[in-house]
Amino acid sequence: MVARSIKCVLPGVLVCSALFAACGGSHGGAAAPTPSGEGGTTKPVGTGDEYMAPPGPPLIDGVPNLPVLQHVKANVHGTSAEITFDPFPGAKDYRVYVKPADKSTVRLASDGSLDGYENAMYRCAGGQAAPGVWVDFDPGPPTEGQSDGVPNWISVSTTVESNSAKGQHDVHGYTRTAADSTLGQVFLDQVDGTVPIYALGDPDPLSDNYAYGARVTQTRAKIYTADRGQYVASGFRDDGVAFYAPPTDSSKACGSDKPVPVYQKDFSDSGSLAHVFYAEGPEADARGKGTPVFYVCPNKLDKSKPLMRVYYTLASPGGNFGNFDQSGHDELVVGEERFERARCQGSTFGPCATASQSRWGVHWSNITGPVSLVVEALDAGCPFQGLLGHTSLQSLLVDSGDNNGDSTLMSDRVFTFDELRAAAPHGEVFLNGQWDAASKPHAIARALVDVSPQTRPQMEFQSDFAGNPEDFTELFESDGTTPKCGLTQELVKQANSNDPQCDGAHQFTSPTYQVLLQSVQNERYSVGIVNGELWTGYSGGKFRITPQGKTATFSDTTYLHAAMEVSSFTTGRRYPQIMISTQDMMTAQFLLDRTNDQKNTNIQPVIVMNPFDSGVGRHIVEIELCNTRPWQVNNHCPWFLLEAQDRTDKSKLGKWSPHPDPLDRFQDDKGVRYDLYVNTKKAYLFLDSQPYGCVDIEHRTTTDFGGATIDPQPAPPQPGPVNVTFGDVLYHAGAEAGYFQIYSPYHLKHLMYETTRHFDYIAYNSGEPAPGWDEKAIPCVTQMHNGGGAGTQTPEQ
């Protein structure tokens, strides 16, 4: 056996002391509340520490002052942070970087504005991957392969101005104009005379998209109220405070003006209720005045923002899954930027031509000590300098199965951090830059936040990859060139496979981990530590990593807790995973991958957890049970639908659970926290420390909802030692060309035939009590659905 080492790339984070006392951050101390109910009382690990940027001007020595980004918050998990903020008017992108230790690295433009920093590393927000929608029932101009810009199966149209030319005449009897979109003025912070108004997602089965296509936070029908208690108790999703508003017309919050009412009226829409909100004026005259749900200020004030509305129609505009009268609701948002996002999503035509497509958050990793971070809004997008990876990989011809008939198509080259820095004129690296390579962004707003690493609770196994250099060594046969992938003749026999070759499989070891890359296309692959994270990239296949020589314990009574924090850009063909298997990782993976038969008694039970896009922008998180059958990206094991409660009969759909919405989380370079608590009887899943879904494994059904027997019967591992594996997949990337045309131009151009995944943390702990869980709010489902295929549509339609 011959070993070849791959060295780690660690562009370190500078740990700087603040130059100005006024620039210090502070702990918000706001942890997510611990769920309570029929489970236990243990709070999920990884809630994080919150740091808020101070309200004063965040001056940097030698840099001109700028307007201050508002509501900047850094939520630190261990050694990484998710930083969020209010969208800034006119911003095309955002970035974060370490505050320079002194002004010697500052580079000013001829007009005295900041041009950049020598040898800086910026981490950018990048584009918001989101499906386009029909805007005022206009699909937009035709695109390649589509007669319309947004195909008619996307299932969402937003309405601000009624469009009779496109077949949409009114909103429940009233013809709206663009001027009607602003209801009045409200506040993003509490001021005297205001109360919090909460956004609450309706649990009705038709209040969100069951059909193929987009499902985002805004597609869930909502009510807006100051009194959320009764609604949350009845199953509404609590989306938190949407804004602050006067509770009565006698409030002094509007200064010399008298607050004006906003009314709610519900209309029957295909068996559900459409919640419509309107203010005084022609619409109130037409609809009639009802009981006000809150009040708004009639005129602009120093601290106020416009409250605006967009009407969502949750049906396929082309009629594929309904008609123009299917469910809808008014979505209320604060400010022009949020209004454009709600109205446009991923659409960029007509009134959405100038809408911001940037994500409103940035990620930072490798926090090994106290550090001051600068967060900036930019007037242009961060430039794309090339794909970044642990290992330099040359551009290659795309595999014939993925090139859609273009035999000259080349994949992008992958650069190391040092290569990107050496090629940049001033050594500046824009990590996650997604816009034109010639773009030269300049800051238009700024904030400074101080953060420190979070001490995590002790786990049986845990690794955050920061500050711990580690070599991953690929294993080879004695000839020094043939990969030693771990495939034995015994495994070939157990898999009933006639193929004894590695076929794109590569095995790595390190002092801590065992790694398997399987079915990799074009021999393009890398694994290693970049900027305090484990980075992997490849052009198709599967990535698996598990602790070297360690097992966890599965039980009937206590819970195995598996956790990971990972970038989670997700489609139906690329996503991260947690796998818990009775067999060791190498055996389990080869049997799952190589078995040709749908039933193979050599495959012992495996639990699979992964996010998944079951439509264009319609994301869910799955828990699957494999037993005596293979698993492939296009051949899933039997699974549970976590997003909705079990149906009571075939003629009804299950109510939506109040789970957090995934789409905004499943973005490039955004860390997402998964906590899976599981034993032989139940499984609980938390997403970003919020309850997501529960499975009653012990009482699972043996037939699918149509009555067909699920064969082979799924089963969890038996009590005893199990292997916990973390991973990632990409399958048949070329099939996503049409998908990315309407979902992510960046992926279509640069990451179509490549995937990259960043792990900030992986861990597990045996023998934990049940987590706190309210089974009245999120009941544990028992209904299983047959596996097979890459989609999960049938039960929901």
Side-chain angles (χ1 to χ4, degrees), residues 38-245:
E38 299 175 18
T41 57
T42 303
K43 183 176 74 173
V45 176
T47 304
D49 290 342
E50 288 186 353
Y51 297 79
M52 299 295 294
L59 300 176
I60 300 175
D61 203 14
V63 177
N65 197 17
L66 288 173
V68 180
L69 274 175
Q70 299 297 308
H71 299 117
V72 177
K73 179 176 70 174
N75 190 7
V76 178
H77 284 206
T79 57
S80 64
E82 297 302 318
I83 304 170
T84 57
F85 37 77
D86 286 348
F88 190 80
K92 302 301 182 185
D93 204 350
Y94 300 85
R95 69 184 179 192
V96 59
Y97 56 93
V98 172
K99 184 170 73 67
D102 57 64
K103 61 183 180 182
S104 64
T105 61
V106 175
R107 193 176 68 255
L108 299 180
S110 58
D111 62 358
S113 63
L114 175 65
D115 190 54
Y117 299 92
E118 299 296 319
N119 297 315
M121 185 189 80
Y122 311 106
R123 200 147 185 170
C124 301
Q128 170 85 355
V133 296
W134 286 32
V135 180
D136 296 330
F137 274 72
D138 183 356
T143 59
E144 183 179 354
Q146 299 286 350
S147 58
D148 293 323
V150 177
N152 62 12
W153 41 263
I154 285 298
S155 304
V156 170
S157 182
T158 60
T159 298
V160 169
E161 191 163 20
S162 299
N163 188 343
S164 59
K166 297 292 183 179
Q168 195 270 336
H169 304 283
D170 57 49
V171 175
H172 294 287
Y174 182 78
T175 301
R176 288 180 172 177
T177 67
D180 296 328
S181 61
T182 299
L183 301 181
Q185 296 283 318
V186 295
F187 305 87
L188 285 174
D189 295 297
Q190 192 156 21
V191 301
D192 289 344
T194 64
V195 296
I197 304 298
Y198 298 93
L200 304 173
D202 198 321
D204 185 272
L206 295 178
S207 68
D208 213 332
N209 267 1
Y210 268 93
Y212 190 71
R215 190 178 79 205
V216 296
T217 301
Q218 292 88 351
T219 56
R220 176 79 73 96
K222 298 177 188 68
I223 61 168
Y224 299 87
T225 177
D227 182 13
R228 61 177 171 173
Q230 60 176 318
Y231 294 102
V232 172
S234 62
F236 278 68
R237 184 180 75 189
D238 188 352
D239 286 349
V241 177
F243 50 86
Y244 295 88

Side-chain angles (χ1 to χ4, degrees), residues 707-759:
T709 299
I710 300 174
D711 183 45
Q713 276 292 306
Q718 292 298 303
V722 290
N723 281 260
V724 182
T725 299
F726 305 87
D728 183 59
V729 298
L730 172 62
Y731 167 72
H732 193 11
E736 294 189 315
Y739 179 97
F740 285 142
Q741 281 184 358
I742 59 172
Y743 187 70
S744 175
Y746 168 68
H747 284 82
L748 181 64
K749 189 173 183 179
H750 296 297
L751 273 170
M752 175 79 169
Y753 307 101
E754 200 86 14
T755 192
T756 182
R757 195 69 65 189
H758 315 156
F759 293 82

Side-chain angles (χ1 to χ4, degrees), residues 132 623 756 778:
I623 292 178
T756 182
I778 304 183

Side-chain angles (χ1 to χ4, degrees), residues 160 176-186 260 262 277-280 283 296-300 305-310 331-336 339:
V160 169
R176 288 180 172 177
T177 67
D180 296 328
S181 61
T182 299
L183 301 181
Q185 296 283 318
V186 295
V260 295
V262 170
F277 296 86
Y278 53 97
E280 293 279 13
E283 189 165 349
V296 294
C297 296
N299 295 302
K300 179 78 173 72
K305 298 278 187 181
L307 178 65
M308 309 182 76
R309 70 179 178 187
V310 177
E331 185 75 8
L332 303 187
V333 291
V334 179
E336 287 281 351
F339 169 73

